[in-house]
Amino acid sequence: MSTPVLPRRADGATLACLFVLSLLILPARLAVAGLPLSLTPAEILALSLGVVWVCAQMVSTTGVAKGGNPVRTALFVYGMLLLAVYGYTTYLYLPSDELNLADHTLVLYLGYASLLLVMCDGMGTRERLDFVLKAVVIGGTFAAIVALLQFRLDFDLTEYMRIPGLRHSSVEEVPTVISRSDLRRVAGTLGHPIEFGALSAMLLPLAAHLGFQARSRGEAAARWWICAAVIAAGLMFSVSRTAVLGLAGAGLILLVGWSNRRRLVTLGAFLVFLGVMKVLTPGLIGTFYNLFAGAGEDSSVIYRTHDYPFAMREFAKSPIFGRGLGTWYPFKHQVFDNQYLLSLVETGLVGVLGFVGVIVCGIVVALRVRRMSTDPNVRNLGLTIAACLVIPLLGAATFDLLSFPGITSVLFLLVGAAGALMRFERRDQRDRTVISSFHEPADLSRSLIAVTGNGHGRARSESS
């Protein structure tokens, strides 16, 4: 009689998937009604993850990991730096509107930290981590499908996605479809085309990893390659320099780490994809070319660079702790399309160093897992996560990345995934060490038993 299969108990991966789907499927403009703060369902779920993580750390029966992890250490340092910035700036005078924004931004960062901790400690196995990454790719594919409808049919599905209990947040003045060179720049379910393009660049390597992993395991890989094609098309429909620069940086990391065969296959698929896009959307490839060829005279590039002296003057007023987390906002202050400049003004040097430190820690940990592991799929996942985390490092120089919760959440999620991979690899190495330590005494005991048994046999034969 076969043993009945017990239903799987919900764990950190289940909660993380609910967060991911609410983040990428629900329009970014929808916030929960009736709250004093403008919070989306995904942000409330992220805060709930923090409560679950704290409760799980108090008991030992949930299977949640405890103990040191480089990612957790980096997050702790970053969190302490942000609290120092918040304490210093709120101790001084802040206008009521900026003080409210500082409180709201701190709540959002608490949600990001909660997501990272649940990803780092709440995944029981690599299969559960893969489960979350699959949900991320599926959610990104849905957002890309919405973008496809916006770009090709001028049909915005998000306008019809109205859910009871949710209202439009304050960012509804920002359109989801923006014109550029007679083309529509689309945002899918995200808040802005630049955010959508950068996020698509981050998710494309993950979709490719799932396709390669499925093929190596003898599983159906077509679904993940379809997801990769749809996400790549969404990236193109964003008509964003940031997306292309980010994907180029990630692609360079991947090409260095991949085998020659995988490089050739990927480059061939890339050329075919560009050919298909040129046929289906005439003028799109030329628009991207002009974005870079005429970058020196492009108004958006000039706007991004002309405000450097002004940002440095604001930074000089409080270079260590800044003027306050989230206090430099549009409609009151000049917009900085550069997260590094914005962070220098808002959080000073300590905030910029903490932000960069968290991302760099995730990259280093992912690459370290790649060196430690002998499993090709784990090695490729470590390389993929490192490549994905290069994109926000580059993108932060071209737009105010931390002002967009979608890509910021995925950034912290992937850093947490790097921490989980490190934990799994360390556990596997400990298990291998324990097993090898047991093997040697076992072999020695078997040898002693054999010698002792032969001696007893000889004694019995001699006495007889």
Side-chain angles (χ1 to χ4, degrees):
M1 179 181 295
S2 60
T3 304
V5 179
L6 298 177
R8 182 185 295 274
R9 186 174 62 178
D11 58 0
T14 308
L15 299 177
C17 285
L18 291 176
F19 166 82
V20 166
L21 295 179
S22 65
L23 175 75
L24 298 177
I25 292 180
L26 295 179
R29 289 167 171 74
L30 293 183
V32 178
L35 295 179
L37 296 176
S38 179
L39 295 175
T40 66
E43 290 164 351
I44 292 180
L45 278 174
L47 294 172
S48 302
L49 291 178
V51 175
V52 172
W53 182 86
V54 170
C55 294
Q57 290 294 315
M58 297 180 180
V59 296
S60 58
T61 58
T62 59
V64 174
K66 299 177 175 62
N69 190 298
V71 166
R72 288 177 60 175
T73 302
L75 178 66
F76 174 78
V77 173
Y78 186 39
M80 291 300 102
L81 292 176
L82 290 183
L83 286 177
V85 169
Y86 178 81
Y88 173 80
T89 54
T90 54
Y91 177 77
L92 304 174
Y93 172 75
L94 279 178
S96 59
D97 57 338
E98 295 183 3
L99 181 59
N100 291 334
L101 283 174
D103 295 338
H104 180 241
T105 305
L106 188 65
V107 170
L108 295 182
Y109 276 83
L110 182 60
Y112 301 145
S114 301
L115 175 63
L116 186 152
L117 290 171
V118 168
M119 286 297 300
C120 184
D121 299 337
M123 307 294 110
T125 62
R126 289 195 185 92
E127 288 72 23
R128 299 302 286 167
L129 177 60
D130 284 344
F131 181 65
V132 177
L133 297 180
K134 290 175 181 178
V136 174
V137 171
I138 291 172
T141 303
F142 179 84
I145 291 174
V146 174
L148 173 63
L149 297 176
Q150 293 169 343
F151 185 87
R152 298 292 298 178
L153 304 179
D154 197 16
F155 173 72
D156 189 1
L157 183 62
T158 62
E159 294 182 358
Y160 301 91
M161 298 173 66
R162 302 182 180 273
I163 301 175
L166 302 181
R167 61 173 177 82
H168 278 282
S169 64
S170 58
V171 298
E172 60 182 328
E173 291 108 354
V174 180
T176 55
V177 181
I178 303 174
S179 297
R180 169 176 271 178
S181 301
D182 298 327
L183 292 173
R184 287 187 286 270
R185 301 181 62 196
V186 296
T189 58
L190 279 298
H192 193 278
I194 296 179
E195 179 192 19
F196 171 66
L199 182 64
S200 298
M202 290 180 69
L203 299 186
L204 183 56
L206 284 177
H209 162 74
L210 292 175
F212 287 128
Q213 178 177 266
R215 182 178 179 182
S216 67
R217 293 179 176 178
E219 302 170 354
R223 67 186 114 174
W224 302 117
W225 293 120
I226 292 174
C227 289
V230 173
I231 291 172
L235 184 153
M236 299 291 289
F237 298 153
S238 69
V239 196
S240 169
R241 281 192 205 90
T242 299
V244 176
L245 288 173
L247 188 61
L252 180 62
I253 301 296
L254 292 172
L255 290 176
V256 169
W258 279 349
S259 63
N260 290 330
R261 183 177 183 277
R262 185 169 291 186
R263 291 178 193 139
L264 292 175
V265 170
T266 303
L267 290 176
F270 175 71
L271 294 176
V272 171
F273 173 78
L274 290 182
V276 172
M277 294 302 298
K278 185 172 181 62
V279 172
L280 295 180
T281 312
L284 182 60
I285 305 299
T287 299
F288 272 101
Y289 173 78
N290 293 330
L291 287 178
F292 291 93
E297 302 175 355
D298 191 283
S299 59
S300 63
V301 175
I302 296 174
Y303 181 80
R304 281 178 168 86
T305 56
H306 88 285
D307 52 8
Y308 286 6
F310 179 73
M312 289 299 101
R313 289 195 298 270
E314 289 295 323
F315 164 68
K317 295 178 181 178
S318 183
I320 305 301
F321 295 105
R323 71 188 312 275
L325 190 65
T327 57
W328 192 272
Y329 67 99
F331 311 117
K332 183 178 181 179
H333 302 288
Q334 181 177 348
V335 176
F336 297 140
D337 282 326
N338 184 317
Q339 185 57 54
Y340 296 118
L341 290 181
L342 181 58
S343 293
L344 282 175
V345 172
E346 289 188 338
T347 60
L349 282 173
V350 297
V352 173
L353 292 176
F355 167 65
V356 174
V358 168
I359 301 178
V360 171
C361 178
I363 294 173
V364 171
V365 168
L367 293 178
R368 185 178 175 187
V369 171
R370 173 178 169 80
R371 291 193 300 269
M372 294 168 58
S373 179
T374 58
D375 186 333
N377 289 324
V378 175
R379 288 171 54 82
N380 187 57
L381 179 56
L383 180 68
T384 301
I385 291 177
C388 292
L389 290 177
V390 168
I391 295 172
L393 272 182
L394 298 174
T398 59
F399 77 111
D400 46 338
L401 182 144
L402 293 178
S403 300
F404 297 95
I407 190 170
T408 306
S409 297
V410 175
L411 159 63
F412 279 85
L413 183 147
L414 290 179
V415 174
L421 270 183
M422 171 64 75
R423 180 166 54 83
F424 296 148
E425 190 58 32
R426 285 178 172 176
R427 184 181 62 189
D428 291 347
Q429 288 190 350
R430 285 195 302 267
D431 292 343
R432 288 193 293 267
T433 302
V434 171
I435 292 173
S436 62
S437 65
F438 274 114
H439 279 172
E440 293 180 2
D443 294 338
L444 180 59
S445 62
R446 283 195 295 268
S447 300
L448 291 174
I449 291 172
V451 171
T452 306
N454 290 337
H456 288 324
R458 286 193 300 269
R460 284 193 298 268
S461 62
E462 290 173 0
S463 62
S464 59

